[in-house]
C-alpha cells in the first residue's frame, strides 16, 4: 500500500498532526508504550494493602518488593541501551512489553511475601521501556526540539504511575463488589497484562524505527552507502589537485544548516560486543555523563520512590481509606501530562536564547525549585490541604527536572546515545533504590525522609550545574556573551 503524502526522510524540526508521518507515529507510540509499561510496572502498589491483608505480608516485605522492582530495572536499562543501537527501538520496546506482561499476569499466583518480592523483581523489566522510548524520539526529531520531544514521550509515559493509581483500585472495587478480596485482587492483574500484549503488537505492526523506515533496512542502506563512498574516495585520490579544490569549495558553498546550534550525530549501529563494553567504559568516564546520572537519580529516583509510598503517606498521616489515599496519590503521577513537558519546553526555549548554556541554566533553576518544594513538603504534613498543595508543587518540579535532564542528555555524547541514555536511565533507578531504602529505614517518619530528599536534590543541582561541560560549553559561558 502506498501513501500519497510525501513523508520526510530526515529528522523533523516541527510537530504535525497527521499520523502518516513516521515522526508523529513514533512519538505517540513511544509515550503510549512507556505509559502502559509504567502502569504495569507499578500495578501492585495501589492495591498492595489488599494483597497484604489477604496473604499476611509484612510492611518490611512490601518495602523490599518496592526496592527490588526498582533494582532489577538498573540492569535492564544498561542492557537495553546497546540493544536499541543494534536492533532499533521498536523491536526492543515490543520485547520489553511482552516480557513484562507475563509476570504481571502471574502476580495472581503469589501466596506469600517471598512471592511478591520475586514477581516484582521480574516485572521490573518493564521499567527499561524508558530507554527505547527516549531513543526512539531522539532518532525522529531535530536538535532544536529534541528536548520537547523527549519530555513529551517520557513525561506522558511516566503518567502511567498516575493512571495505575486510578485504574487498579477502580478495577479492584468493581470486581470485589461481586466476589471476595482473595479473588478480586488476583483477577485485577489480568487487565494490565493484556494491555501490554496488545500494545506490543501495535508497536510491531504499525510503527517504524526511523524517518527512513525499519532499523535493519536503514542499516543495510548505510552499509551500501559506506561501500560506495569508499569506492568514490579511492577514485577521488587520482584526481588532479585543482579538481579536488574546486569540489571542496562547491561542497562548502552548497552546505545547509537546519538552524540548530547543537549537534546530534548518528549512533553506532554495528559495534561488536567487545567494542560495546569498551564504549560503555569510555562513556561512563565522561564527567558530563556522571553529572547527568546524578541529576536523574535525584529526579526520576525521587519520583520512583514516591510512587511507591505516596498513597501510604496520605493513608497513615491523615487516616484515609486505601482508595481515597490512592486517588490523591494518583495526582502525583498524573501531573506528568504537563510537568515533564514543561521541563523540556523550558530547556528548548532557553537553548534558543542561549544555546547549550541555556539548557544548563534551565536545568539549574528547575533543580533548585525541586529541592525547595520537597523541603517544604516535609514541613507541610500538618494538614491535608497543605500537603496536597505542596505535593502538587514538588511533583511538578521533580518531573520537570526529568524533562530538562533529557533536554541535555542527547548532546552529551551523540554517537553513543543509546549507552548514555541507558546509563542515565539506570542511574534514575539507582536513585529510586536508594530513596526507597531511605523511606524503609525512616518509616513512619516521612517528614525526615522528604527533608533528606530535598536537601540532596538541592545540593546536587547547585554543584552539578556549576561544573558540567557539554560540547565545550558550561553555565559560565552565559557571562560575557560567549555562549554561542
Amino acid at each position: 500500500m502506498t501513501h500519497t503524502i510525501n513523508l520526510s526522510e530526515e529528522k523533523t524540526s516541527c510537530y504535525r498532526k497527521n499520523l502518516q508521518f513516521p515522526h508523529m507515529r513514533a512519538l505517540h507510540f513511544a509515550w503510549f508504550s512507556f505509559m502502559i509499561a509504567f502502569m504495569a510496572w507499578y500495578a501492585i502498589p495501589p492495591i498492595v494493602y489488599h494483597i497484604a491483608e489477604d496473604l499476611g505480608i509484612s510492611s518490611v516485605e512490601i518495602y523490599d518488593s518496592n526496592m527490588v522492582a526498582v533494582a532489577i530495572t538498573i540492569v535492564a536499562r544498561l542492557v537495553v541501551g546497546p540493544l536499541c543501537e543494534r536492533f532499533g527501538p521498536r523491536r526492543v520496546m515490543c520485547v520489553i512489553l511482552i516480557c513484562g506482561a507475563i509476570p504481571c499476569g502471574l502476580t495472581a499466583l503469589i501466596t506469600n511475601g517471598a512471592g511478591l518480592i520475586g514477581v516484582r523483581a521480574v516485572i521490573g523489566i518493564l521499567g527499561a521501556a524508558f530507554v527505547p522510548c527516549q531513543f526512539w524520539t531522539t532518532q525522529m526529531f531535530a536538535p532544536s526540539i529534541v528536548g520537547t520531544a523527549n519530555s513529551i514521550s517520557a513525561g506522558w509515559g511516566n503518567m502511567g504511575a498516575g493512571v495505575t493509581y486510578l485504574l487498579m483500585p477502580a478495577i479492584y472495587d468493581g470486581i470485589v463488589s461481586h466476589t471476595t478480596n482473595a479473588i478480586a485482587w488476583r483477577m485485577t492483574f489480568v487487565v494490565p497484562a493484556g494491555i501490554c500484549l496488545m500494545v506490543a503488537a501495535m508497536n510491531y505492526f504499525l510503527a517504524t524505527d526511523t524517518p527512513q523506515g525499519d532499523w535493519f533496512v536503514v542499516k543495510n542502506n548505510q552499509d551500501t552507502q559506506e561501500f560506495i563512498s569508499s569506492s568514490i574516495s579511492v577514485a577521488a585520490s587520482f584526481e588532479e589537485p585543482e579538481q579536488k579544490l574546486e569540489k571542496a569549495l562547491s561542497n562548502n558553498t552548497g552546505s545547509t544548516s537546519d538552524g540548530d546550534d547543537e549537534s546530534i550525530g548518528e549512533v553506532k549501529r554495528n559495534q561488536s560486543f567487545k567494542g560495546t563494553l569498551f564504549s560503555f567504559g569510555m562513556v561512563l568516564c565522561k564527567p558530563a555523563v556522571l553529572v547527568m546520572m546524578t541529576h536523574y537519580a535525584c529526579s526520576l529516583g525521587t519520583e520512583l520512590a514516591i510512587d511507591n509510598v505516596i498513597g501510604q503517606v496520605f493513608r497513615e498521616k491523615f487516616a484515609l481509606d486505601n482508595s481515597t489515599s490512592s486517588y490523591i496519590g494518583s495526582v502525583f503521577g498524573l501531573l506528568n501530562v504537563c510537568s515533564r513537558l514543561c521541563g523540556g519546553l523550558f530547556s528548548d526555549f532557553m537553548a534558543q536564547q542561549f544555546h547549550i548554556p541555556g539548557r544548563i541554566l534551565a536545568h539549574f533553576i528547575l533543580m533548585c525549585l525541586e529541592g525547595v518544594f520537597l523541603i517544604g513538603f516535609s514541613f507541610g504534613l500538618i494538614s491535608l490541604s497543605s500537603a496536597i498543595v505542596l505535593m502538587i508543587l514538588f511533583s511538578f518540579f521533580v518531573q520537570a527536572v526529568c524533562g530538562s535532564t533529557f533536554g541535555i542528555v542527547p548532546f552529551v555524547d551523540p554517537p553513543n546515545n543509546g549507552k548514555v541514555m541507558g546509563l542515565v536511565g539506570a542511574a534514575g533507578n539507582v536513585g529510586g533504590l536508594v530513596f526507597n531504602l531511605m523511606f524503609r529505614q525512616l518509616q513512619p517518619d516521612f517528614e525526615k525522609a522528604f527533608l533528606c530528599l530535598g536537601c540532596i536534590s538541592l545540593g546536587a543541582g547547585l554543584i552539578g550545574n556549576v561544573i558540567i561541560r557539554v560540547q565545550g560549553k558550561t553555565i559560565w559561558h552565559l557571562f560575557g556573551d560567549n555562549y554561542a
Side-chain angles (χ1 to χ4, degrees):
M1 179 179 178
T2 59
H3 298 291
T4 57
I5 193 167
N6 182 25
L7 301 181
S8 172
E9 292 187 353
E10 302 296 334
K11 293 183 179 181
T12 184
S13 58
C14 63
Y15 298 103
R16 301 174 173 89
K17 294 180 181 179
N18 197 322
L19 292 181
Q20 284 188 327
F21 285 94
H23 316 84
M24 299 310 297
R25 285 205 309 275
L27 174 66
H28 291 299
F29 272 112
W31 77 258
F32 188 68
S33 300
F34 184 39
M35 185 188 75
I36 296 303
F38 213 110
M39 180 194 71
W41 183 20
Y42 274 82
I44 292 178
I47 60 171
V48 72
Y49 175 78
H50 301 297
I51 300 173
E53 186 180 44
D54 180 42
L55 302 180
I57 299 173
S58 68
S59 61
V60 173
E61 288 174 315
I62 292 174
Y63 272 100
D64 288 343
S65 73
N66 290 342
M67 289 189 292
V68 77
V70 174
I72 196 68
T73 310
I74 299 170
V75 179
R77 288 187 175 186
L78 289 173
V79 173
V80 162
L83 290 179
C84 286
E85 295 177 352
R86 194 167 191 86
F87 299 104
R90 179 174 58 95
R91 289 181 176 84
V92 174
M93 182 70 84
C94 292
V95 172
I96 291 171
L97 287 169
I98 293 170
C99 291
I102 296 170
C104 183
L106 294 177
T107 302
L109 302 180
I110 66 173
T111 57
N112 52 38
L116 176 66
I117 294 170
V119 78
R120 289 207 72 188
V122 186
I123 290 176
I125 295 170
L126 285 166
F130 168 79
V131 178
C133 169
Q134 296 291 270
F135 190 89
W136 210 345
T137 47
T138 300
Q139 296 304 304
M140 290 288 184
F141 292 91
S144 60
I145 61 168
V146 72
T148 303
N150 282 348
S151 62
I152 289 174
S153 61
W156 290 1
N158 275 24
M159 193 170 59
V163 171
T164 198
Y165 267 96
L166 286 175
L167 184 64
M168 296 301 287
I171 296 172
Y172 170 83
D173 290 342
I175 296 174
V176 79
S177 62
H178 300 285
T179 185
T180 63
N181 173 54
I183 296 175
W185 71 259
R186 297 176 192 276
M187 292 180 63
T188 302
F189 290 98
V190 174
V191 176
I195 295 175
C196 282
L197 294 174
M198 181 179 66
V199 173
M202 291 171 61
N203 267 300
Y204 188 81
F205 292 108
L206 300 179
T208 58
D209 297 280
T210 71
Q212 297 86 11
D214 185 85
W215 190 263
F216 289 143
V217 173
V218 174
K219 175 176 173 291
N220 292 335
N221 289 342
Q222 284 186 339
D223 291 342
T224 303
Q225 289 173 359
E226 287 174 4
F227 175 77
I228 294 173
S229 297
S230 63
S231 301
I232 292 174
S233 63
V234 171
S237 64
F238 296 100
E239 291 180 351
E240 294 296 326
E242 293 81 359
Q243 291 176 302
K244 291 183 180 180
L245 179 60
E246 182 180 352
K247 188 173 293 185
L249 290 172
S250 64
N251 286 340
N252 288 335
T253 304
S255 62
T256 61
S257 173
D258 63 356
D260 294 323
D261 297 283
E262 306 99 338
S263 62
I264 303 178
E266 289 295 322
V267 299
K268 300 175 181 177
R269 301 170 186 255
N270 300 307
Q271 276 192 310
S272 64
F273 179 73
K274 184 177 179 181
T276 299
L277 289 179
F278 179 76
S279 295
F280 249 125
M282 294 298 292
V283 169
L284 189 56
C285 291
K286 291 179 180 289
V289 174
L290 294 174
V291 171
M292 287 292 96
M293 289 172 67
T294 303
H295 287 181
Y296 206 55
C298 292
S299 52
L300 181 73
T302 297
E303 185 176 355
L304 295 179
I306 294 175
D307 279 334
N308 277 320
V309 301
I310 191 65
Q312 182 185 359
V313 171
F314 282 96
R315 186 174 66 246
E316 294 186 4
K317 285 294 177 182
F318 304 106
L320 302 175
D321 62 77
N322 187 73
S323 294
T324 302
S325 61
S326 293
Y327 291 144
I328 293 174
S330 70
V331 175
F332 176 74
L334 290 174
L335 273 173
N336 273 293
V337 73
C338 63
S339 55
R340 189 159 183 161
L341 171 60
C342 288
L345 285 170
F346 188 38
S347 179
D348 283 347
F349 171 78
M350 294 297 284
Q352 290 174 5
Q353 309 301 316
F354 307 109
H355 310 286
I356 284 181
R359 292 188 185 275
I360 300 173
L361 177 60
H363 191 56
F364 173 80
I365 293 170
L366 294 174
M367 282 206 76
C368 289
L369 290 171
E370 172 194 347
V372 167
F373 284 112
L374 279 168
I375 294 170
F377 184 76
S378 70
F379 294 103
L381 288 171
I382 53 177
S383 69
L384 182 60
S385 57
S386 65
I388 292 174
V389 170
L390 286 166
M391 179 192 71
I392 291 172
L393 290 171
F394 84 68
S395 299
F396 180 88
F397 289 106
V398 166
Q399 294 156 7
V401 169
C402 292
S404 63
T405 299
F406 272 82
I408 296 174
V409 164
F411 305 99
V412 171
D413 188 1
N416 291 294
N417 253 338
K419 301 177 188 68
V420 175
M421 290 179 180
L423 286 166
V424 175
N429 285 80
V430 172
L433 178 62
V434 172
F435 297 144
N436 268 303
L437 180 60
M438 183 177 70
F439 275 110
R440 179 181 183 272
Q441 297 301 113
L442 294 177
Q443 66 155 331
D445 191 356
F446 294 112
E447 291 87 350
K448 184 180 291 185
F450 278 98
L451 178 62
C452 291
L453 275 178
C455 292
I456 292 169
S457 298
L458 185 59
L462 290 171
I463 297 172
N465 286 296
V466 166
I467 65 174
I468 190 172
R469 179 182 292 270
V470 179
Q471 295 190 6
K473 299 295 182 180
T474 71
I475 197 170
W476 301 108
H477 284 87
L478 290 168
F479 304 97
D481 295 330
N482 58 345
Y483 47 78

